[in-house]
Amino acid sequence: MSSQKPLLEVQNLHTGFNIEGETHYAVKDVSFTVNPKEVVCIVGESGCGKSVMSLSIMDLLPKHNGKIDKGHILFKGNDLVPLTEEEMNQIRGKDISMIFQEPMTALNPVLTIGYQMDEVLFNHTDTRKEEIRKKSVQLLQQVGISRADQIVNEYPHQLSGGMRQRVMIAMAIACQPQLLIADEPTTALDVTVQAQILELITKIQEEVGMAMLLITHDLGVVAEMADRVVVMYAGQVVEDTDVDRLFYEPKHPYTKALLDSIPRMDDHREVLNTIRGIVPSLKNMPKQGCRFVDRCPSAMPECTKIDPALGEVDKGHSVRCILYDASHPEKKAEV
Amino acid sequence: MLLYTLRRILIMIPILFLVSIVVFSLAFAMPGDALSGQIDPTQSPEYIEEMREELGLNDPVHIQYGRWVAGIVQWDFGRSVVHRMDVSAIIGERLPNTILLSAMSLIITYILAFFMGRYAGRNPYTKGDYTIQGINYLMLAIPSFVAALFAIFIFSFQFGLFPSTGSVGSGMTPGTFEFWMSKLYHTFLPALVLGALVTASYTQFLRNDIIESAQKDYVRTARAKGTPESEIYNKHILRNSIIPIVTLFGFDIASIIGGAVIIETIFSYRGIGELLISSIERRDSAVVLSVTLMLSVATLVGNLLADLLYGIIDPRIRVE
Ligand SMILES: Nc1ncnc2c1ncn2[C@@H]1O[C@H](COP(=O)(O)OP(=O)(O)OP(=O)(O)O)[C@@H](O)[C@H]1O
Ligand SMILES: [Mg+2]
């Protein structure tokens, strides 16, 4: 793996929203890499900036108030951040695709499924119209839609949520992208459908041989699908490791707490451990010190003063916590 | 859809009944009646009384109402005492002019609103947007008669581009090509004034809808597919935003008619509106009653049309 050139490198990404004239960072200093054909999961509570981070990669932030302020997004070595809208359009849908959380609203209600399928092929290939339509039907069949030749003439409201998400997947893989970003692709679906869609995504990912950035807050999904895991908290990466070490050697107190809150079969506790409190909102983010300090069971007085840096504790395992920070060796002993 | 249409039409029957009562009561409450303006005042009161009796003007209200409704059902709208003609014949002569005027003004409204609304919606909060909104509010604020007089002054008197009165040139043979061209020529200026004045709400509607649609998830999906900006606006957004606009006129018929009444009077344009005003002045109650009822029905039909049209162009409603 290490000899490979990374497919995607996010470096010190800062994405901010302009709220009442002030910039608040929803993503603050996020760095991680995705290698070709690798599945990287991003986990973290609601509101920790997972969606904002993925929209930043695609340059799909709400134009009126969202903006990348600092950092680089290298895709195959080229920085996407300075690219113009037209240049991004060459990449979006072709090299990098995205599936969204809400299949119910992600499709245009007044255009046929066929039109919306054809569009992505039309944008990125020189194929003739009839050929494109044939390909669209084929793609729909590939994602398990049996009535594909009829569905192309139907409108999104005639389809169930699961079907719509299949259509979204079909669109996303139409041009055989190298990277698929899936932002909680199953959260809005029924439990039974969730499993089918995840299975489909895994199958397709292997077939197409693409890398995937899968955003989820389901650690069960992580265990099943991930190669590497990036844990985010309040707009920052707090831990970045491979899937085995995440479950067996979690380091960051937040990761530990997250793992502790999963119910297990062999668990006879009456009350599940939950992490007390919630992610601070953008406006109430602590200006100094660790962002997790208020909820951290191992918090120390220093934690409110020192901004912890993301540091490697082991090969391929980074943590953002002063407990593991080499520049504060006196704390290390207490672990 | 068929069932829906039928239900909508059935609902209209009780509404029409109520409308007819209101219209009739209003006409009944008008001071004076057909006789007061027509008859020689030197006639003896006994003779007038006799005439009233003969015309049924002394009958109780409900009997008069019943007679009126019975007539309408048989397409008999009564006789105009002023024009000494059947009301249906007068309306038949005037109505095409008003329809032409309204249609032309609507086309002008839509053309203006489409281009201004599309531009402003695509470039919100820019100088161009503010300019368009400024023009729109100005047009909304100007009373129609002032705008009409201005238009006549500039286009007719200063530049002599368009005629200032009438609905057709004199000495034309009805039905010929020249006759229709002359009609269009005479209708253009009043239609422009009528159309421009109501453009504001259509433009604003389209602009706001485009701005709102631009934030929708499906736009983000389209962008994620690498669809160019112009395509996103012209296909994805406009397809959605055009739906409420297309049907807006149906709900707007009342204000178009209201505007037409004033504009026709100022331009001495021989339409229904001008007929209504002059008939009110002359207490021609049969005409007033019929025209008012007709305009109310037009409003109802406009609403129905708008709803049905919505069902045709919006795929989400179409199937059900
Ligand atoms: N358009 C926006 N304007 C202002 N703030 C925003 C906007 N979008 C997101 N935020 C804020 O940015 C933060 C991160 O939001 P984000 O949607 O990325 O969370 P998330 O991790 O994807 O959560 P979830 O799991 O619920 O999807 C939140 O505090 C949110 O309120
Ligand atoms: Mg999200």
Side-chain angles (χ1 to χ4, degrees):
Chain A
M1 280 281 205
S2 55
S3 60
Q4 264 177 322
K5 269 182 127 184
L7 183 67
L8 178 78
E9 286 174 90
V10 176
Q11 299 174 341
N12 311 103
L13 183 70
H14 289 69
T15 302
F17 287 105
N18 188 330
I19 303 169
E20 291 155 14
E22 258 184 87
T23 303
H24 295 272
Y25 290 101
V27 169
K28 192 159 192 232
D29 197 13
V30 164
S31 305
F32 64 91
T33 53
V34 180
N35 290 313
K37 305 190 180 182
E38 192 180 39
V39 177
V40 174
C41 279
I42 310 267
V43 290
E45 272 166 287
S46 198
C48 71
K50 305 182 297 290
S51 294
V52 173
M53 191 275 298
S54 47
L55 293 176
S56 303
I57 297 173
M58 290 289 274
D59 187 25
L60 292 176
L61 294 163
K63 280 187 181 155
H64 60 285
N65 68 345
K67 184 164 157 279
I68 295 176
D69 250 27
K70 259 186 275 176
H72 304 282
I73 296 164
L74 305 182
F75 182 70
K76 296 198 284 184
N78 303 318
D79 197 351
L80 303 183
V81 176
L83 294 192
T84 62
E85 183 85 21
E86 287 78 42
E87 289 167 326
M88 272 314 281
N89 277 338
Q90 302 299 312
I91 295 172
R92 289 193 290 227
K94 180 161 174 273
D95 300 313
I96 312 178
S97 304
M98 186 159 177
I99 311 170
F100 301 95
Q101 195 166 339
E102 262 303 332
M104 300 314 273
T105 53
L107 293 168
N108 194 325
V110 299
L111 297 173
T112 59
I113 301 294
Y115 180 90
Q116 299 185 61
M117 282 294 307
D118 295 349
E119 197 176 19
V120 63
L121 292 161
F122 181 78
N123 288 341
H124 300 294
T125 59
D126 292 328
T127 328
R128 283 184 316 140
K129 259 195 171 146
E130 309 83 70
E131 292 298 313
I132 284 185
R133 182 48 64 92
K134 250 187 233 159
K135 182 88 205 285
S136 294
V137 173
Q138 235 169 47
L139 282 162
L140 289 172
Q141 282 161 345
Q142 197 184 342
V143 297
I145 293 177
S146 47
R147 295 189 303 120
D149 48 341
Q150 286 156 39
I151 294 243
V152 285
N153 296 318
E154 289 182 7
Y155 289 89
H157 70 269
Q158 293 165 273
L159 272 54
S160 68
M163 289 286 264
R164 290 188 214 185
Q165 200 61 302
R166 282 174 197 268
V167 172
M168 288 297 292
I169 294 170
M171 280 177 194
I173 60 164
C175 297
Q176 311 231 319
Q178 285 147 296
L179 177 64
L180 174 69
I181 303 176
D183 185 357
E184 305 194 36
T186 58
T187 309
L189 304 174
D190 286 348
V191 185
T192 47
V193 183
Q194 282 186 4
Q196 293 168 9
I197 295 289
L198 279 172
E199 202 176 304
L200 174 69
I201 291 177
T202 315
K203 189 184 117 216
I204 298 256
Q205 187 252 333
E206 280 161 9
E207 275 173 16
V208 179
M210 59 189 177
M212 183 157 68
L213 190 61
L214 177 63
I215 294 159
T216 177
H217 29 217
D218 186 341
L219 287 165
V221 172
V222 173
E224 209 167 297
M225 300 183 69
D227 294 317
R228 291 190 67 80
V229 184
V230 174
V231 182
M232 279 183 73
Y233 182 80
Q236 297 181 317
V237 174
V238 293
E239 188 156 359
D240 179 345
T241 183
D242 56 66
V243 66
D244 292 333
R245 277 186 285 183
L246 179 93
F247 285 100
Y248 296 110
E249 298 168 41
K251 296 277 198 252
H252 197 283
Y254 176 67
T255 313
K256 289 178 185 168
L258 212 56
L259 290 170
D260 245 3
S261 61
I262 329 176
R264 291 167 204 274
M265 292 298 270
D266 59 355
D267 197 340
H268 301 294
R269 285 174 301 180
E270 299 241 319
V271 183
L272 277 175
N273 290 331
T274 52
I275 313 173
R276 58 198 160 86
I278 50 159
V279 185
S281 74
L282 291 189
K283 285 170 136 185
N284 303 323
M285 216 47 97
K287 297 269 180 293
Q288 199 192 13
C290 175
R291 294 184 157 199
F292 187 54
V293 65
D294 289 341
R295 306 168 68 191
C296 182
S298 350
M300 298 170 292
E302 289 82 349
C303 292
T304 55
K305 301 192 189 87
I306 302 165
D307 289 350
L310 187 68
E312 202 164 56
V313 290
D314 219 339
K315 198 167 162 18
H317 191 165
S318 312
V319 179
R320 186 190 294 273
C321 179
I322 60 170
L323 290 172
Y324 305 96
D325 194 333
S327 56
H328 303 281
E330 71 280 6
K331 301 296 165 241
K332 213 160 186 176
E334 296 169 23
V335 180
Chain B
M1 189 72 201
L2 193 73
L3 208 71
Y4 174 75
T5 313
L6 274 175
R7 207 164 54 214
R8 277 300 313 260
I9 291 173
L10 282 180
I11 291 174
M12 273 177 67
I13 292 172
I15 300 177
L16 273 177
F17 178 66
L18 282 176
V19 166
S20 72
I21 291 182
V22 171
V23 168
F24 188 80
S25 321
L26 283 178
F28 199 78
M30 277 202 321
D33 57 38
L35 272 181
S36 45
Q38 290 306 306
I39 216 150
D40 183 357
T42 55
Q43 289 284 0
S44 69
E46 290 78 33
Y47 174 72
I48 295 177
E49 202 46 43
E50 205 175 299
M51 284 292 287
R52 297 183 78 89
E53 197 61 45
E54 207 171 296
L55 286 169
L57 293 175
N58 284 341
D59 291 345
V61 189
H62 62 273
I63 301 222
Q64 292 195 39
Y65 171 76
R67 198 160 48 220
W68 178 60
V69 170
I72 287 173
V73 173
Q74 297 160 46
W75 214 248
D76 171 11
F77 295 88
R79 252 184 102 73
S80 159
V81 281
V82 175
H83 299 267
R84 304 201 184 283
M85 274 169 87
D86 277 349
V87 174
S88 51
I90 305 173
I91 290 180
E93 180 203 323
R94 300 290 195 111
L95 191 59
N97 287 339
T98 297
I99 290 176
L100 180 68
L101 176 65
S102 310
M104 215 155 146
S105 83
L106 260 179
I107 291 171
I108 291 170
T109 300
Y110 272 110
I111 291 174
L112 290 176
F114 180 78
F115 287 104
M116 289 198 291
R118 191 175 72 155
Y119 181 86
R122 237 185 115 154
N123 307 286
Y125 315 111
T126 59
K127 278 212 180 80
D129 176 30
Y130 291 133
T131 311
I132 286 172
Q133 291 202 59
I135 295 172
N136 274 302
Y137 282 119
L138 195 69
M139 290 197 294
L140 197 64
I142 299 176
S144 50
F145 63 90
V146 175
L149 294 176
F150 253 108
I152 290 174
F153 178 73
I154 295 172
F155 292 108
S156 303
F157 295 168
Q158 293 297 113
F159 296 115
L161 288 175
F162 294 100
S164 63
T165 59
S167 55
V168 70
S170 52
M172 297 276 178
T173 329
T176 59
F177 179 73
E178 283 77 26
F179 173 82
W180 284 108
M181 289 317 284
S182 164
K183 268 212 154 154
L184 287 178
Y185 183 51
H186 278 79
T187 309
F188 185 77
L189 197 55
L192 182 68
V193 176
L194 188 56
L197 289 177
V198 297
T199 299
S201 54
Y202 289 70
T203 307
Q204 203 65 11
F205 215 90
L206 184 61
R207 169 191 180 270
N208 293 347
D209 208 279
I210 287 176
I211 295 173
E212 202 187 303
S213 297
Q215 323 255 348
K216 291 277 167 68
D217 283 358
Y218 58 74
V219 170
R220 194 176 60 187
T221 306
R223 288 174 70 200
K225 286 190 279 190
T227 305
E229 185 89 357
S230 59
E231 190 84 351
I232 288 183
Y233 270 99
N234 292 335
K235 290 273 161 56
H236 286 268
I237 296 179
L238 218 51
R239 278 285 172 94
N240 279 277
S241 299
I242 216 79
I243 291 173
I245 286 288
V246 167
T247 56
L248 195 59
F249 84 90
F251 304 105
D252 215 31
I253 294 257
S255 73
I256 295 173
I257 291 169
V261 169
I262 296 168
I263 297 294
E264 284 180 2
T265 309
I266 294 177
F267 281 89
S268 322
Y269 186 86
R270 289 176 61 78
I272 292 289
E274 199 263 342
L275 175 69
L276 179 65
I277 298 290
S278 63
S279 302
I280 291 173
E281 277 166 4
R282 291 188 252 177
R283 305 275 178 272
D284 197 348
S285 61
V287 176
V288 174
L289 264 177
S290 310
V291 171
T292 319
L293 184 71
M294 206 185 72
L295 298 186
S296 311
V297 172
T299 310
L300 282 177
V301 171
N303 276 293
L304 176 71
L305 259 174
D307 270 5
L308 296 184
L309 203 58
Y310 212 114
I312 292 170
I313 56 178
D314 190 332
R316 280 161 296 185
I317 302 179
R318 200 187 299 158
V319 260
E320 273 116 51

Coordinates of all heavy atoms in Angstrom, one line a residue, chain A residues 23-73:
Chain A
T23 N -16.7 34.3 9.9 CA -16.4 33.0 9.4 C -16.3 32.0 10.5 O -15.5 32.2 11.5 CB -15.1 33.0 8.6 OG1 -15.2 33.9 7.5 CG2 -14.9 31.6 7.9
H24 N -17.2 31.0 10.4 CA -17.1 29.9 11.4 C -16.7 28.6 10.7 O -17.2 28.3 9.7 CB -18.4 29.7 12.1 CG -18.9 30.8 12.9 ND1 -18.5 31.0 14.2 CD2 -19.6 31.9 12.6 CE1 -19.0 32.1 14.7 NE2 -19.7 32.7 13.7
Y25 N -15.7 27.9 11.2 CA -15.2 26.8 10.5 C -15.9 25.5 10.9 O -16.0 25.1 12.0 CB -13.7 26.6 10.8 CG -12.9 27.7 10.2 CD1 -12.4 28.7 10.9 CD2 -12.6 27.6 8.8 CE1 -11.7 29.7 10.3 CE2 -11.9 28.6 8.2 CZ -11.4 29.7 8.9 OH -10.7 30.6 8.3
A26 N -16.5 24.9 9.9 CA -17.2 23.6 10.1 C -16.2 22.5 9.9 O -16.3 21.4 10.4 CB -18.4 23.4 9.1
V27 N -15.1 22.8 9.1 CA -14.0 21.8 8.9 C -12.8 22.6 9.2 O -12.5 23.6 8.6 CB -14.0 21.3 7.5 CG1 -12.7 20.5 7.2 CG2 -15.2 20.4 7.2
K28 N -12.0 22.1 10.2 CA -10.9 22.9 10.7 C -9.7 22.0 10.7 O -9.5 21.1 11.5 CB -11.1 23.5 12.1 CG -10.1 24.5 12.4 CD -10.5 25.4 13.5 CE -9.5 26.6 13.5 NZ -9.0 26.8 14.8
D29 N -8.8 22.2 9.7 CA -7.5 21.5 9.6 C -7.7 20.0 9.5 O -7.2 19.3 10.3 CB -6.7 21.9 10.9 CG -5.2 21.5 10.7 OD1 -4.8 21.3 9.5 OD2 -4.5 21.5 11.7
V30 N -8.4 19.6 8.5 CA -8.6 18.2 8.2 C -7.6 17.7 7.2 O -7.5 18.3 6.1 CB -10.0 17.9 7.8 CG1 -10.2 16.5 7.2 CG2 -11.0 18.1 8.9
S31 N -6.9 16.6 7.5 CA -6.0 16.0 6.6 C -6.2 14.5 6.6 O -6.4 13.9 7.7 CB -4.5 16.3 7.0 OG -4.3 17.6 7.1
F32 N -6.2 13.9 5.5 CA -6.2 12.4 5.4 C -6.0 12.0 3.9 O -6.0 12.9 3.1 CB -7.5 11.8 5.9 CG -8.7 12.2 5.1 CD1 -9.1 11.3 4.0 CD2 -9.5 13.3 5.4 CE1 -10.2 11.7 3.3 CE2 -10.6 13.6 4.6 CZ -10.9 12.8 3.6
T33 N -5.7 10.8 3.7 CA -5.5 10.3 2.3 C -6.4 9.1 2.0 O -6.8 8.4 2.9 CB -4.0 9.9 2.1 OG1 -3.7 8.9 3.1 CG2 -3.1 11.1 2.1
V34 N -6.6 9.0 0.7 CA -7.3 7.8 0.2 C -6.5 7.2 -0.9 O -6.1 7.9 -1.8 CB -8.7 8.2 -0.3 CG1 -9.4 6.9 -0.8 CG2 -9.6 8.8 0.7
N35 N -6.1 5.9 -0.7 CA -5.4 5.3 -1.8 C -6.3 4.6 -2.8 O -7.5 4.4 -2.5 CB -4.5 4.2 -1.2 CG -3.4 4.8 -0.3 OD1 -2.7 5.7 -0.8 ND2 -3.2 4.3 0.9
P36 N -5.8 4.4 -4.0 CA -6.6 3.7 -5.0 C -7.3 2.5 -4.5 O -6.6 1.7 -3.8 CB -5.6 3.4 -6.2 CG -4.5 4.4 -6.0 CD -4.4 4.7 -4.5
K37 N -8.5 2.3 -4.8 CA -9.3 1.1 -4.5 C -9.5 0.8 -3.0 O -10.0 -0.2 -2.6 CB -8.6 -0.2 -5.1 CG -8.4 -0.1 -6.6 CD -8.0 -1.3 -7.2 CE -7.9 -1.1 -8.7 NZ -7.5 -2.2 -9.5
E38 N -9.2 1.8 -2.2 CA -9.3 1.7 -0.8 C -10.7 2.2 -0.3 O -11.2 3.2 -0.9 CB -8.2 2.5 -0.1 CG -8.0 2.3 1.3 CD -6.8 3.1 1.9 OE1 -6.7 4.3 1.5 OE2 -6.1 2.7 2.7
V39 N -11.2 1.6 0.7 CA -12.4 2.1 1.3 C -12.1 2.9 2.6 O -11.6 2.2 3.6 CB -13.5 1.0 1.6 CG1 -14.7 1.6 2.3 CG2 -13.8 0.3 0.3
V40 N -12.3 4.2 2.6 CA -12.0 4.9 3.8 C -13.3 5.4 4.4 O -14.2 6.0 3.7 CB -11.1 6.2 3.5 CG1 -10.9 7.0 4.8 CG2 -9.8 5.7 3.0
C41 N -13.5 5.1 5.7 CA -14.8 5.5 6.3 C -14.5 6.7 7.2 O -13.5 6.8 7.8 CB -15.3 4.4 7.2 SG -16.2 3.2 6.3
I42 N -15.4 7.7 7.1 CA -15.4 8.8 8.0 C -16.5 8.7 9.0 O -17.7 8.5 8.6 CB -15.6 10.1 7.2 CG1 -14.8 10.2 5.9 CG2 -15.5 11.4 8.1 CD1 -13.5 10.9 6.1
V43 N -16.1 8.6 10.3 CA -17.2 8.5 11.3 C -17.2 9.7 12.2 O -16.2 10.4 12.3 CB -17.1 7.2 12.1 CG1 -17.4 6.0 11.3 CG2 -15.7 7.1 12.7
G44 N -18.3 9.9 12.9 CA -18.4 11.0 13.8 C -19.8 11.3 14.0 O -20.7 11.0 13.2
E45 N -20.1 12.0 15.1 CA -21.5 12.3 15.4 C -22.1 13.3 14.4 O -21.4 14.0 13.6 CB -21.5 13.0 16.8 CG -21.7 12.1 18.0 CD -21.3 12.9 19.2 OE1 -20.1 13.2 19.4 OE2 -22.3 13.2 19.9
S46 N -23.4 13.4 14.5 CA -24.1 14.4 13.6 C -23.5 15.8 13.9 O -23.3 16.2 15.0 CB -25.6 14.4 14.0 OG -26.3 14.9 13.0
G47 N -23.3 16.5 12.8 CA -22.8 17.9 13.0 C -21.3 18.1 13.1 O -20.9 19.2 13.4
C48 N -20.6 17.0 12.9 CA -19.1 17.2 13.1 C -18.4 17.6 11.9 O -17.2 17.7 11.8 CB -18.5 15.9 13.7 SG -18.5 14.5 12.5
G49 N -19.2 17.8 10.8 CA -18.5 18.3 9.6 C -18.2 17.3 8.5 O -17.5 17.6 7.5
K50 N -18.8 16.1 8.6 CA -18.6 15.1 7.6 C -19.1 15.5 6.2 O -18.4 15.4 5.2 CB -19.2 13.8 8.0 CG -18.8 13.3 9.4 CD -19.4 12.0 9.7 CE -20.9 11.9 9.8 NZ -21.5 12.7 11.0
S51 N -20.3 16.0 6.2 CA -20.9 16.4 4.9 C -20.2 17.6 4.3 O -19.9 17.6 3.1 CB -22.4 16.7 5.1 OG -23.1 15.6 5.4
V52 N -19.9 18.6 5.2 CA -19.2 19.8 4.7 C -17.8 19.4 4.1 O -17.5 19.9 3.0 CB -19.0 20.8 5.8 CG1 -18.2 22.0 5.4 CG2 -20.4 21.3 6.3
M53 N -17.2 18.5 4.7 CA -15.9 18.0 4.2 C -16.0 17.4 2.9 O -15.3 17.7 1.9 CB -15.3 17.0 5.3 CG -13.8 16.7 5.1 SD -13.7 15.3 3.9 CE -14.6 14.1 4.8
S54 N -17.0 16.5 2.7 CA -17.2 15.8 1.4 C -17.6 16.8 0.3 O -17.2 16.7 -0.8 CB -18.1 14.6 1.5 OG -19.3 14.9 2.2
L55 N -18.5 17.7 0.7 CA -18.9 18.7 -0.3 C -17.7 19.6 -0.7 O -17.7 20.0 -1.9 CB -20.1 19.6 0.3 CG -21.4 18.8 0.5 CD1 -22.4 19.8 1.1 CD2 -21.9 18.3 -0.8
S56 N -16.8 19.8 0.2 CA -15.6 20.6 -0.1 C -14.8 19.9 -1.2 O -14.3 20.6 -2.1 CB -14.7 20.8 1.1 OG -15.4 21.4 2.2
I57 N -14.7 18.6 -1.1 CA -13.9 17.9 -2.1 C -14.5 18.1 -3.5 O -13.8 18.3 -4.5 CB -13.8 16.4 -1.7 CG1 -13.1 16.2 -0.4 CG2 -13.1 15.6 -2.8 CD1 -13.1 14.8 0.1
M58 N -15.8 18.0 -3.5 CA -16.5 18.1 -4.8 C -16.8 19.6 -5.2 O -17.4 19.8 -6.3 CB -17.9 17.4 -4.7 CG -17.8 15.9 -4.6 SD -17.3 15.2 -6.1 CE -18.8 15.0 -7.0
D59 N -16.4 20.5 -4.4 CA -16.7 21.9 -4.7 C -18.2 22.1 -4.8 O -18.7 22.8 -5.8 CB -16.0 22.4 -5.9 CG -16.1 23.9 -6.1 OD1 -16.4 24.6 -5.1 OD2 -16.0 24.4 -7.3
L60 N -19.0 21.6 -3.9 CA -20.4 21.7 -4.0 C -21.0 22.4 -2.8 O -22.2 22.3 -2.5 CB -21.1 20.3 -4.0 CG -20.8 19.4 -5.3 CD1 -21.4 18.0 -5.1 CD2 -21.4 20.1 -6.5
L61 N -20.2 23.2 -2.1 CA -20.6 23.9 -0.9 C -21.7 24.9 -1.4 O -21.7 25.4 -2.5 CB -19.5 24.7 -0.3 CG -18.4 23.8 0.3 CD1 -17.1 24.6 0.5 CD2 -18.9 23.2 1.6
P62 N -22.6 25.3 -0.5 CA -23.6 26.3 -0.8 C -22.8 27.6 -1.2 O -22.1 28.1 -0.4 CB -24.4 26.5 0.4 CG -23.8 25.7 1.5 CD -22.9 24.7 0.8
K63 N -23.1 28.1 -2.4 CA -22.3 29.2 -2.9 C -22.4 30.5 -2.1 O -21.4 31.2 -2.0 CB -22.7 29.5 -4.4 CG -22.0 28.5 -5.3 CD -22.3 28.8 -6.7 CE -21.7 27.8 -7.7 NZ -22.3 27.8 -9.0
H64 N -23.6 30.7 -1.6 CA -23.7 32.0 -0.9 C -23.0 32.2 0.4 O -22.7 33.3 0.7 CB -25.2 32.3 -0.8 CG -25.9 31.3 0.1 ND1 -26.2 30.1 -0.3 CD2 -26.3 31.4 1.4 CE1 -26.8 29.4 0.6 NE2 -26.9 30.2 1.7
N65 N -22.7 31.1 1.1 CA -22.0 31.3 2.4 C -20.9 30.4 2.7 O -20.1 30.6 3.6 CB -23.0 31.4 3.5 CG -23.6 30.0 3.8 OD1 -23.6 29.1 3.0 ND2 -24.3 29.9 4.9
G66 N -20.7 29.3 1.9 CA -19.7 28.3 2.3 C -18.4 28.5 1.4 O -18.6 28.8 0.2
K67 N -17.3 28.3 2.0 CA -16.1 28.5 1.2 C -14.9 27.8 1.8 O -14.8 27.7 3.0 CB -15.8 30.0 1.2 CG -14.6 30.5 0.4 CD -14.7 32.0 0.3 CE -13.4 32.7 0.0 NZ -12.6 32.9 1.2
I68 N -14.0 27.3 1.0 CA -12.8 26.7 1.4 C -11.8 27.8 1.7 O -11.5 28.6 0.8 CB -12.2 25.7 0.4 CG1 -13.1 24.5 0.2 CG2 -10.8 25.2 0.8 CD1 -12.6 23.6 -0.9
D69 N -11.3 27.9 2.9 CA -10.4 29.1 3.2 C -9.0 28.8 3.1 O -8.2 29.6 2.7 CB -10.7 29.5 4.7 CG -11.4 30.8 4.7 OD1 -12.1 31.1 3.8 OD2 -11.3 31.5 5.8
K70 N -8.6 27.5 3.5 CA -7.2 27.2 3.5 C -7.1 25.7 3.1 O -8.1 25.0 3.3 CB -6.6 27.4 4.8 CG -5.8 28.7 5.0 CD -5.1 28.7 6.3 CE -6.0 29.2 7.4 NZ -5.5 29.2 8.8
G71 N -5.9 25.2 2.7 CA -5.7 23.8 2.5 C -5.7 23.4 1.1 O -6.0 24.2 0.2
H72 N -5.4 22.1 0.9 CA -5.3 21.6 -0.5 C -6.1 20.3 -0.6 O -6.2 19.6 0.4 CB -3.9 21.3 -0.9 CG -3.0 22.5 -0.7 ND1 -3.0 23.5 -1.7 CD2 -2.1 22.9 0.3 CE1 -2.2 24.5 -1.3 NE2 -1.6 24.1 -0.1
I73 N -6.7 20.1 -1.7 CA -7.3 18.8 -2.0 C -6.6 18.2 -3.2 O -6.9 18.7 -4.3 CB -8.8 18.9 -2.2 CG1 -9.5 19.5 -0.9 CG2 -9.4 17.6 -2.6 CD1 -10.9 20.0 -1.2

